[in-house]
Amino acid sequence: MYNPPAFREDRLEVLQAMMRAAPLANLIIAAGDGFEASPLPLLLDPEPAPLGTLSGHIARGNPLARGDGAMALAIFMGTDAYISPSFYPSKRETGRVVPTWNYVTIHAEGRLYFFDEPARLLTLVKRLTERHESGRATPWAVEDAPADFIAAQLKGIVGFTLTLTRLEGKWKMSQNRTQADRAGVVAGLRDSGRTDVAALIDGAPAER
């Protein structure tokens, strides 16, 4: 992706934390004359080092399942917000400003491999369930459903792993603006109720 140095995020711990915090990614492969893509919740494991492995599952009939061994791209999107020129003090001084969009994204590349062994699929489904039910007061567990029902459901999916070979992070958080304009963006976003993006801008380094 187009990623000027001011917006580039290379710290592995930051990238992995974001991937875990926003686990729904678009998984994409080249297929024939076009592409196949699906939004999927993914798990990140730290091994093999240094980048780790993504895993998830798709419906057996999903065209992505024909991409065993293909290079794949998982695109994670974090928080984002529209940035109005009215946020900038420089608007009042020169008028030479335009709208933009601030956002966080990660592109994760690797080789895609599928599996359909029932025991391995069940372990994956349990891990995904535990990951997303853990914050609930009464979390649902796979064991809450009848075993024969779960077994039938597993026959309709295939699991996959994506061993990562490249991670690229982009934190576009007004780093290319002056300190005064950045402070104006933070104030404008807070006034709009977007304290999440405002906090990221506060924490982003100035243009390098």
Side-chain angles (χ1 to χ4, degrees):
M1 64 179 154
Y2 177 62
N3 198 2
F7 305 141
R8 197 170 298 150
E9 178 56 74
D10 299 320
R11 293 171 295 175
L12 183 59
E13 68 275 14
V14 174
L15 300 178
Q16 291 182 335
M18 184 269 184
M19 293 161 74
R20 290 188 173 103
L24 186 70
N26 280 296
L27 183 65
I28 305 165
I29 63 170
D33 294 331
F35 298 90
E36 293 293 345
S38 289
L40 302 165
L42 302 178
L43 290 171
L44 174 63
D45 292 306
E47 298 298 329
L51 302 182
T53 302
L54 295 171
S55 58
H57 64 79
I58 58 175
R60 189 174 290 274
N62 190 318
L64 273 174
R66 297 196 290 268
D68 191 56
M71 287 299 295
L73 172 67
I75 300 178
F76 294 81
M77 292 299 299
T79 191
D80 68 280
Y82 170 73
I83 306 301
S84 170
S86 300
F87 293 164
Y88 301 139
S90 57
K91 172 187 177 293
R92 296 183 291 275
E93 298 163 3
T94 69
R96 299 173 66 85
V97 293
V98 293
T100 191
W101 209 281
N102 279 0
Y103 57 87
V104 169
T105 187
I106 294 175
H107 287 192
E109 298 178 18
R111 189 74 64 180
L112 187 65
Y113 292 105
F114 289 92
F115 62 88
D116 62 1
E117 299 92 337
R120 191 175 175 189
L121 280 174
L122 182 59
T123 297
L124 172 63
V125 168
K126 285 182 176 180
R127 288 187 63 208
L128 278 163
T129 301
E130 290 164 3
R131 163 71 174 81
H132 298 293
E133 288 281 338
S134 61
R136 297 176 55 80
T138 54
W140 182 85
V142 172
E143 291 80 6
D144 291 344
D148 59 343
F149 172 76
I150 294 297
Q153 295 296 303
L154 293 178
K155 292 178 181 177
I157 64 174
V158 290
F160 63 83
T161 59
L162 183 68
T163 301
L164 298 177
T165 56
R166 185 168 178 264
L167 279 178
E168 186 178 15
K170 185 174 183 179
W171 264 241
K172 185 177 179 293
M173 289 292 149
S174 299
Q175 297 98 319
N176 57 335
R177 305 300 307 184
T178 65
Q179 284 299 113
D181 277 355
R182 290 181 65 174
V185 171
V186 170
L189 289 171
R190 285 178 175 157
D191 288 345
S192 304
R194 294 306 310 274
T195 55
D196 54 341
V197 185
L200 281 177
I201 295 171
D202 260 347
E207 185 171 7
R208 290 169 276 186

